[in-house]
């Protein structure tokens, strides 16, 4: 490796390091999503011996909560767990970046390489893809949150990596790892089913063209079903199978019927901030259409999976930014791959090769730095206030997941109470099983230690004589006789 290449790769490494620091600062300082409180609270429920789906409402798969249990055991019941788990999510995001690097390198190595330095090319393309990923504002904002989407994407990418290795080396062991990783991804989040749909189309196409035999598909199926079978056994023996089907599938398919929005509502907010990623991704697909017969098969496979995942965003009724995480990961691979292709095609000199990743960093740098500002300190203090001023047996009403991490709730439905969301959808599917749900009555009869003013008017309900405001927004504490 000559002197320029050494300095060039050091520059790429420095840019990635700076981006990683920005991502870490965002993780430690950015305000918390209500979903993050939801998942920590669900993990706490399991640690208390509750069975998900039958004992408390949830409509996500459970593997994230199991993953969080050791942290609750080691670090105890403090709101500081929010920052500890944010750091854990940051490490997973770095894992995603590593897989982006590895997958991109595999795609470059599989294609026509007009150079005697294939290792350098794979490394360069991989690093460029990581620059794209970690400079994507939408990915950073949602990729640091404590939610199942991050490990779902991590294991989904791991599955893709092994699939690419299978098609390159034809070893059935790689197909075993492909299926197993996809199963773990699915146990984190149901949305992996969209990846499985893409896999199914690819397998059928390859089988019909006799490019693969049925044996590796069988290996994939068995390895996928093995972890899934353990989960199904747990549901059956815990008696929560029916509740699982109802809450995780029937309810989700009918969720928020009157409260949906287009993916463009989310995309429009971020697309200009991430313009270079979308531009190079578009140029990649344009080039693919023109040269698809010359493109390596694994590149076409990756592009197809990306298109399937992008298309499924149109099927999601409420496509928030976290739904874009997997497609954005694949787009960063394709954008890095195409940028590397441009560098080779036009034989860009040293100055341009260094300038391009710098421009990628600068294009979104302001928006990334803006999200590093500390906006979560008050939220941590509010959650700690609830913990410190209540006992483990004190009930809490937190209808919007803003402060309750480690205290029991008033009802099976403890979140997703907004009109046409979880509770309403559940009642519509169960002949109004919880049609008598009345949060005002529950508060007056069960007298929780803390309540939120979510969906209730404290004064009109006559609760102002029972509860007083705390120094924290939307949080009220019970007035106990002295």
């Amino acid at each position: 490796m000559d002197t320029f290449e050494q300095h060039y790769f050091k520059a790429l490494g420095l840019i990635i390091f700076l981006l990683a620091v920005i991502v870490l600062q965002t993780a430690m300082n950015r305000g918390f999503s209500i979903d993050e409180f939801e998942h920590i609270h669900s993990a706490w429920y399991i640690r208390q011996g509750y069975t998900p789906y039958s004992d408390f409402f949830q409509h996500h798969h459970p593997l994230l909560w199991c993953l969080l249990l050791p942290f609750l055991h080691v670090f105890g019941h403090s709101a500081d767990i929010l920052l500890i788990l944010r750091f854990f999510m940051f490490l997973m995001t770095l894992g995603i970046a590593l897989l982006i690097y590895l997958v991109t390198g595999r795609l470059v190595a599989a294609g026509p390489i007009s150079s005697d330095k294939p290792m350098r090319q794979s490394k360069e393309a991989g690093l460029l893809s990581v620059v794209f990923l970690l400079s994507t504002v939408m990915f950073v904002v949602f990729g640091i949150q404590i939610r199942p989407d991050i490990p779902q994407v991590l294991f989904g990418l791991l599955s893709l990596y092994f699939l690419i290795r299978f098609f390159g080396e034809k070893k059935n062991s790689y197909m075993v790892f492909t299926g197993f990783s996809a199963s773990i991804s699915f146990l984190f989040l149901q949305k992996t089913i969209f990846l499985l749909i893409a896999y199914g189309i690819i397998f059928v196409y390859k089988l019909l063209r006799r490019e693969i035999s049925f044996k590796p598909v069988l290996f994939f199926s068995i390895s996928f079903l093995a972890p899934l079978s353990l989960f199904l056994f747990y549901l059956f023996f815990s008696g929560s199978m029916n509740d699982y089907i109802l809450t995780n599938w029937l309810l989700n398919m009918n969720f928020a019927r009157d409260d949906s929005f287009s993916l463009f509502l989310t995309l429009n907010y971020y697309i200009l901030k991430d313009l270079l990623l979308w531009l190079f991704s578009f140029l990649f697909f344009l080039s693919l259409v023109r040269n698809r017969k010359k493109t390596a098969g694994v590149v076409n496979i990756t592009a197809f999976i990306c298109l399937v995942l992008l298309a499924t965003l149109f099927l999601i009724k409420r496509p928030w930014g976290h739904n874009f995480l997997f497609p954005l990961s694949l787009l960063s691979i394709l954008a890095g791959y195409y940028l590397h292709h441009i560098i080779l095609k036009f034989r860009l000199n040293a100055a341009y090769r260094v300038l391009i990743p710098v421009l990628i960093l600068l294009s979104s740098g302001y928006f990334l730095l803006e999200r590093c500002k500390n906006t979560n300190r008050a939220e941590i203090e509010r959650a700690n206030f609830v913990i410190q001023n209540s006992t483990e047996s004190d009930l809490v009403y937190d209808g919007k997941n803003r402060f309750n991490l480690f205290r029991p709730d008033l009802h099976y439905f403890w979140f997703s109470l907004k009109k046409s969301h979880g509770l309403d959808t559940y009642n519509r599917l169960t002949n109004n099983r919880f049609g008598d749900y009345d949060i005002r009555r529950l508060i007056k009869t069960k007298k929780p230690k803390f309540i939120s003013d979510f969906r209730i008017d404290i004064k009109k309900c006559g609760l102002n004589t029972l509860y007083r405001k705390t120094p924290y927004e939307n949080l009220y504490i019970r007035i106990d006789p002295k």
Side-chain angles (χ1 to χ4, degrees):
M1 185 178 290
D2 58 35
T3 303
F4 163 71
E5 288 182 346
Q6 291 178 356
H7 290 306
Y8 174 57
F9 284 117
K10 285 180 181 178
L12 283 177
L14 178 60
I15 290 171
I16 291 172
F17 175 77
L18 292 174
L19 286 168
V21 170
I22 292 173
V23 174
L24 177 58
Q25 287 298 307
T26 304
M28 294 296 101
N29 292 307
R30 189 162 176 79
F32 297 102
S33 160
I34 58 177
D35 296 349
E36 296 180 86
F37 278 80
E38 169 199 335
H39 293 297
I40 296 174
H41 192 54
S42 296
W44 172 82
Y45 259 133
I46 292 176
R47 189 163 188 261
Q48 298 302 112
Y50 290 83
T51 302
Y53 317 126
S54 58
D55 290 341
F56 64 94
F57 171 70
Q58 254 299 351
H59 60 141
H60 298 89
H61 276 181
L63 201 51
L64 176 64
W65 315 325
C66 299
L67 197 63
L68 300 186
L69 288 176
F71 292 93
L72 299 187
H73 178 75
V74 172
F75 297 103
H77 294 170
S78 166
D80 293 335
I81 196 75
L82 288 159
L83 294 180
I84 294 168
L85 293 178
R86 274 282 184 91
F87 182 75
F88 181 52
M89 291 296 117
F90 165 73
L91 295 180
M92 284 196 174
T93 299
L94 293 185
I96 290 173
L98 175 61
L99 285 168
I100 294 295
Y101 171 82
L102 294 174
V103 171
T104 308
R106 285 279 164 183
L107 298 188
V108 171
I113 300 177
S114 56
S115 170
D116 58 352
K117 301 177 180 179
M119 289 291 292
R120 185 195 67 77
Q121 290 194 15
S122 295
K123 182 178 180 180
E124 181 180 21
L127 292 174
L128 289 173
S129 290
V130 174
V131 171
F132 271 117
L133 179 78
L134 297 182
S135 64
T136 300
V137 179
M138 192 194 301
F139 180 87
V140 172
V141 167
F142 294 96
I144 49 87
Q145 295 181 351
I146 306 161
R147 57 169 61 253
D149 305 74
I150 290 87
Q152 180 237 348
V153 173
L154 177 66
F155 282 92
L157 285 171
L158 186 62
S159 175
L160 174 62
Y161 171 74
F162 285 123
L163 181 68
I164 290 170
R165 294 207 63 173
F166 166 77
F167 283 119
E169 303 174 39
K170 303 300 182 183
K171 292 182 178 179
N172 288 330
S173 58
Y174 289 131
M175 194 61 96
V176 172
F177 296 137
T178 299
F180 183 82
S181 301
S183 185
I184 299 300
S185 177
F186 180 73
L187 292 177
F188 276 110
L189 204 58
Q190 299 96 307
K191 285 183 294 188
T192 300
I193 195 170
F194 299 134
L195 175 66
L196 297 175
I197 289 172
Y199 279 0
I201 295 172
I202 292 168
F203 293 160
V204 169
Y205 177 80
K206 294 287 186 181
L207 285 169
L208 292 176
R209 292 177 60 89
R210 300 181 184 277
E211 294 179 11
I212 60 171
S213 65
F214 184 74
K215 188 176 181 179
V217 178
L218 180 63
F219 278 122
F220 171 90
S221 302
I222 293 172
S223 59
F224 176 83
L225 290 174
L228 183 61
S229 297
L230 295 176
F231 176 51
L232 294 176
F233 282 137
Y234 166 78
L235 292 173
F236 178 78
F237 287 109
S238 66
S240 56
M241 177 67 80
N242 291 337
D243 291 305
Y244 161 74
I245 294 172
L246 172 61
T247 57
N248 280 248
W249 295 98
L250 298 178
L251 184 143
N252 282 336
M253 288 187 289
N254 292 275
F255 187 81
R257 184 172 61 178
D258 302 319
D259 187 23
S260 60
F261 56 84
S262 165
L263 67 91
F264 295 107
L265 182 68
T266 301
L267 189 59
N268 288 345
Y269 183 76
Y270 287 100
I271 193 165
L272 292 180
K273 300 178 179 66
D274 301 321
L275 184 60
L276 290 181
L277 172 74
W278 292 102
L279 174 61
F280 278 96
S281 299
F282 173 77
L283 292 175
F284 166 84
F285 282 110
L286 191 62
S287 173
L288 185 66
V289 171
R290 293 177 177 176
N291 305 288
R292 60 185 179 276
K293 293 183 179 179
K294 299 179 182 179
T295 307
V298 288
V299 177
N300 292 331
I301 287 171
T302 306
F304 173 75
I305 293 173
C306 182
L307 286 175
V308 169
L309 295 183
L310 285 170
T312 57
L313 292 173
F314 289 94
L315 303 177
I316 299 174
K317 294 179 181 179
R318 295 168 57 79
W320 295 109
H322 54 267
N323 294 292
F324 286 78
L325 288 175
F326 208 159
L328 287 172
S329 299
L330 296 182
L331 286 175
S332 68
I333 293 172
L334 302 178
Y337 178 91
Y338 183 75
L339 175 55
H340 175 260
H341 167 74
I342 293 297
I343 289 172
L344 290 184
K345 182 177 180 179
F346 294 97
R347 298 182 180 179
L348 298 183
N349 61 31
Y352 285 114
R353 284 170 63 188
V354 173
L355 181 61
I356 291 174
V358 172
L359 288 176
I360 296 172
L361 171 62
L362 293 177
S363 68
S364 57
Y366 168 78
F367 304 108
L368 290 171
L369 290 172
E370 191 178 36
R371 283 151 180 81
C372 290
K373 297 176 183 177
N374 189 286
T375 58
N376 65 24
R377 184 53 54 189
E379 295 175 277
I380 295 173
E381 291 177 357
R382 179 172 54 188
N384 266 328
F385 181 81
V386 172
I387 295 168
Q388 293 164 4
N389 291 276
S390 61
T391 66
E392 291 191 358
S393 60
D394 281 326
L395 299 174
V396 169
Y397 166 65
D398 179 15
K400 204 176 180 182
N401 299 332
R402 300 305 304 176
F403 51 79
N404 185 22
L405 293 172
F406 307 122
R407 299 293 181 258
D409 301 284
L410 303 183
H411 193 270
Y412 173 82
F413 268 92
W414 50 283
F415 77 102
S416 198
L417 303 174
K418 188 178 176 182
K419 185 177 180 181
S420 86
H421 283 220
L423 177 60
D424 285 352
T425 306
Y426 185 93
N427 283 335
R428 181 157 47 88
L429 296 172
T430 60
N431 195 26
N432 216 27
R433 181 179 297 173
F434 292 129
D436 62 346
Y437 178 89
D438 184 339
I439 189 58
R440 293 167 293 184
R441 178 178 55 81
L442 287 170
I443 291 173
K444 289 179 179 179
T445 56
K446 296 192 175 184
K447 297 180 174 59
K449 182 71 175 183
F450 287 95
I451 65 170
S452 164
D453 60 4
F454 179 68
R455 301 207 70 188
I456 55 174
D457 186 312
I458 301 294
K459 189 173 182 180
K460 286 185 178 180
C461 294
L463 294 174
N464 58 317
T465 60
L466 302 174
Y467 291 86
R468 60 176 174 83
K469 286 185 178 180
T470 67
Y472 301 98
E473 184 181 8
N474 308 122
L475 179 62
Y476 294 76
I477 187 170
R478 188 178 65 214
I479 302 173
D480 291 327
K482 295 182 180 180

